[in-house]
Amino acid sequence: MPKATSLQKIKIHFLGATKTVTGSKFLIETPSFNILLDCGMFQGLKELRERNWEPLPFDVSSIDLVVLTHGHLDHTGYLPRLLKQGFEGNILGTSPTLEITSIILKDSARIHEEDAKRANEEGFTKHSPALPFYTEKEAQKTITLFKIIEPEKWIELHDKIFCRWMPVGHIIGATFIELKINETIFVFSGDVGRPQDLLLRPPKKPEWADFLFLESTYGDRLHQEDDTEEKLITLIKELVHTRGTLIIPSFAVERLQTLMYILWKLHLKNRIPNIPVYVDSPMGNNVLSVFERFTEWHKISPKEYKAMCNHVHIVTSYRETWEVIDKPIPKIVIAGSGMVTGGRVLTYLKQYIDNATTRILLVGYQAEGTRGRQLQEGLHEVKIYGKYYPVKAQVHQIQSLSAHGDQQDLIDWVSDIKNVPEKVFLVHGEASACDAFRVKLQHRFHWNIEIPNLHQTTEIYIAD
């Protein structure tokens, strides 16, 4: 008689990025080894942000390892809290990912501490006292657990458990992760970039996936083919005419560098007036050094990189921020953060948002509950540091600068998978986007698709 095949039970815990875009955390529990894939913060709606303060519904000290797809806050920003709950293992990622995560955690910790201090001093808090989500000291402790991996090579994590990080565009250092347990392959997409990115090479594609965890940020739409250059030219020419200010809230990683590159190219072609461009993002400045160090991860030559940086004015201090604000000249200000949730851009908006000559340009995804989404939807006033400000500035948007692939890009990304996955889980997307994407994928591939809920646990049995 043939020998009966024994089965091994794998539990997948969905701890974030379920029917929402942020808070990515997926726990893979095996009988002998537990892996947390990504460890991000929730952002946006208050009910989402409040989840950040809740301990994970799992014995964190039993997690052996964290593996990171990329360095964005919604994939890494919960790491210091993980340590506070007892995690002591290594945190693995590509070199640029760990560099960016270091920058983001330290910058985020500084903002948490500053915001808590301001809330306590100015009294716009219900908590007594307001506490930072984590401190710079806690961020530094987290960074000591980082361990660099080499991309595109299988690495043994534990007995019969292997992992491979494959470049996926999106931001510098970003990857999708293939996890092989025995001979079963789990593919976690992370955030999938766009094939025609100005700075990054096209994403690698998975060729086999027994279980696929697929992001759905833009699963319900196609990016508009708006002409980025023409839109910028029009806005900048208006600035010169009205002597106004163009404020571009920008993510420090990738979007900032892309904007710098486009503006520099337009300047070289003499297509825009020669007005000053100020980059006011301490975190973004640090990310520029990552581009300089890891040239193999992007398409900009060292010569282009230097010329691009020389074209802009890098703001290096808060005092200089106010000097820029006080200059009564037409100017472009690129400042963090991209969803207008914090950072230097709030200082500029407090001064400029009630001025009709101001233009605000949104250039990335705006999550539910963020000021960026409120501005995008035409809200007549926004709340900044406990005070409401009327929105008299014109708000514009460019979708074609998104670092996320749209529905068609995502379909193309999975089109090289040779097998029929046993199950596809749609994650990292708002509920409506996930559902629209589910319908599209089922029509195209006839796959077995599920949209998981927060804190759902799914049991998977694989050959031992």
Side-chain angles (χ1 to χ4, degrees):
M1 290 180 65
K3 187 178 178 181
T5 302
S6 62
L7 297 177
Q8 182 180 138
K9 182 167 71 174
I10 308 296
K11 288 185 179 180
I12 308 295
H13 301 259
F14 295 90
L15 304 177
T18 53
K19 299 180 181 176
T20 187
V21 170
T22 61
S24 289
K25 299 180 208 70
F26 307 103
L27 179 65
I28 302 93
E29 181 186 1
T30 81
S32 60
F33 202 71
N34 299 325
I35 302 164
L36 184 64
L37 190 136
D38 283 343
C39 189
M41 280 179 64
F42 289 102
Q43 297 170 283
L45 294 171
K46 185 177 180 181
E47 66 186 73
L48 291 175
R49 300 196 310 271
E50 287 177 344
R51 291 177 185 169
N52 291 322
W53 295 89
E54 300 169 2
L56 294 186
F58 190 83
D59 178 8
V60 169
S61 65
S62 71
I63 298 174
D64 296 286
L65 197 66
V66 175
V67 296
L68 299 177
T69 58
H70 65 288
H72 271 150
L73 189 72
D74 61 327
H75 291 257
T76 66
Y78 193 82
L79 284 168
R81 300 289 293 192
L82 198 72
L83 268 68
K84 289 186 79 168
Q85 293 171 51
F87 176 72
E88 296 179 341
N90 286 322
I91 299 166
L92 276 57
T94 65
S95 292
T97 288
L98 295 183
E99 287 283 343
I100 287 168
T101 303
S102 297
I103 292 165
I104 283 178
L105 290 183
K106 287 186 281 190
D107 188 78
S108 178
R110 178 184 56 77
I111 291 172
H112 289 317
E113 290 188 285
E114 288 176 357
D115 286 352
K117 183 181 177 184
R118 183 185 292 112
N120 289 322
E121 288 176 349
E122 299 180 13
F124 59 89
T125 175
K126 297 176 183 176
H127 308 283
S128 183
L131 297 173
F133 188 56
Y134 51 82
T135 65
E136 290 190 66
K137 185 177 179 180
E138 289 167 338
Q140 290 285 2
K141 182 181 177 184
T142 304
I143 292 164
T144 64
L145 301 180
F146 287 1
K147 185 177 178 183
I148 297 168
I149 58 86
E150 189 174 350
E152 300 189 54
K153 291 188 176 180
W154 286 104
I155 295 166
E156 187 170 14
L157 304 180
H158 189 67
D159 183 39
K160 296 184 180 179
I161 301 177
F162 294 82
C163 196
R164 183 165 66 169
W165 285 254
M166 300 293 287
V168 75
H170 186 58
I171 67 169
I172 188 169
T175 57
F176 71 90
I177 287 179
E178 297 169 301
L179 186 65
K180 183 160 63 175
I181 304 176
N182 297 345
E183 293 304 314
T184 300
I185 295 179
F186 299 78
V187 173
F188 297 84
S189 71
D191 288 351
V192 179
R194 307 184 68 185
Q196 305 301 325
D197 193 284
L198 284 174
L199 306 184
L200 303 177
R201 296 178 184 87
K204 302 272 186 180
K205 297 181 180 182
E207 296 182 357
W208 191 278
D210 294 301
F211 296 91
L212 174 62
F213 300 76
L214 181 59
E215 74 116 321
S216 316
T217 307
Y218 286 107
D220 60 343
R221 72 193 77 174
L222 302 176
H223 291 314
Q224 291 179 6
E225 292 302 318
D226 47 24
D227 193 320
T228 300
E229 290 193 359
E230 291 302 324
K231 198 158 192 174
L232 280 168
I233 290 166
T234 300
L235 285 172
I236 292 167
K237 285 181 177 178
E238 282 182 13
L239 290 188
V240 176
H241 178 69
T242 62
R243 300 191 63 78
T245 298
L246 172 61
I247 300 172
I248 310 178
S250 177
F251 299 97
V253 188
E254 223 63 49
R255 207 67 42 79
L256 171 61
Q257 295 78 28
T258 301
L259 285 163
M260 288 172 60
Y261 183 80
I262 293 170
L263 291 169
W264 169 61
K265 286 289 191 181
L266 290 174
H267 169 73
L268 288 182
K269 298 173 189 174
N270 292 317
R271 298 200 66 199
I272 55 174
N274 188 23
I275 63 174
V277 179
Y278 297 96
V279 171
D280 195 342
S281 170
M283 184 163 63
N285 298 346
N286 291 326
V287 172
L288 283 171
S289 68
V290 178
F291 270 76
E292 188 173 25
R293 288 178 54 198
F294 298 105
T295 55
E296 71 276 16
W297 280 89
H298 60 80
K299 299 189 290 193
I300 309 176
S301 71
K303 184 178 179 181
E304 284 181 313
Y305 169 85
K306 187 174 181 180
M308 177 181 82
C309 291
N310 287 339
H311 175 63
V312 303
H313 303 269
I314 305 290
V315 177
T316 57
S317 69
Y318 197 54
R319 176 184 57 80
E320 199 175 345
T321 296
W322 283 98
E323 290 175 359
V324 173
I325 288 171
D326 289 339
K327 289 180 179 178
I329 57 173
K331 55 187 175 290
I332 301 166
V333 176
I334 307 171
S337 65
M339 295 188 206
V340 203
T341 53
R344 294 280 178 86
V345 74
L346 296 183
T347 305
Y348 290 94
L349 290 180
K350 283 173 66 177
Q351 302 301 315
Y352 286 110
I353 200 165
D354 64 348
N355 192 323
T357 65
T358 301
R359 304 290 183 268
I360 300 168
L361 180 62
L362 303 173
V363 292
Y365 183 80
Q366 307 298 321
E368 283 185 295
T370 61
R371 290 187 193 86
R373 176 68 76 93
Q374 293 171 354
L375 290 169
Q376 178 182 300
E377 293 178 347
L379 204 70
H380 71 284
E381 60 180 5
V382 294
K383 190 178 183 182
I384 301 174
Y385 297 137
K387 183 179 176 182
Y388 283 94
Y389 293 83
V391 180
K392 296 182 181 176
Q394 288 185 21
V395 179
H396 300 265
Q397 187 173 21
I398 294 179
Q399 289 191 355
S400 58
L401 286 180
S402 174
H404 284 269
D406 63 12
Q407 186 189 79
Q408 189 57 52
D409 292 331
L410 292 170
I411 289 171
D412 290 345
W413 187 73
V414 299
S415 61
D416 287 358
I417 295 176
K418 295 180 173 65
N419 66 313
V420 176
E422 290 186 42
K423 179 71 76 72
V424 177
F425 299 94
L426 296 185
V427 295
H428 206 285
E430 292 175 11
S432 57
C434 289
D435 195 56
F437 196 29
R438 174 188 62 81
V439 172
K440 189 76 173 181
L441 288 172
Q442 286 177 332
H443 175 75
R444 174 72 181 269
F445 298 108
H446 308 290
W447 286 345
N448 179 14
I449 297 172
E450 182 176 343
I451 302 171
N453 294 310
L454 182 67
H455 297 158
Q456 175 179 319
T457 299
T458 295
E459 295 182 354
I460 293 171
Y461 291 87
I462 65 172
D464 200 350

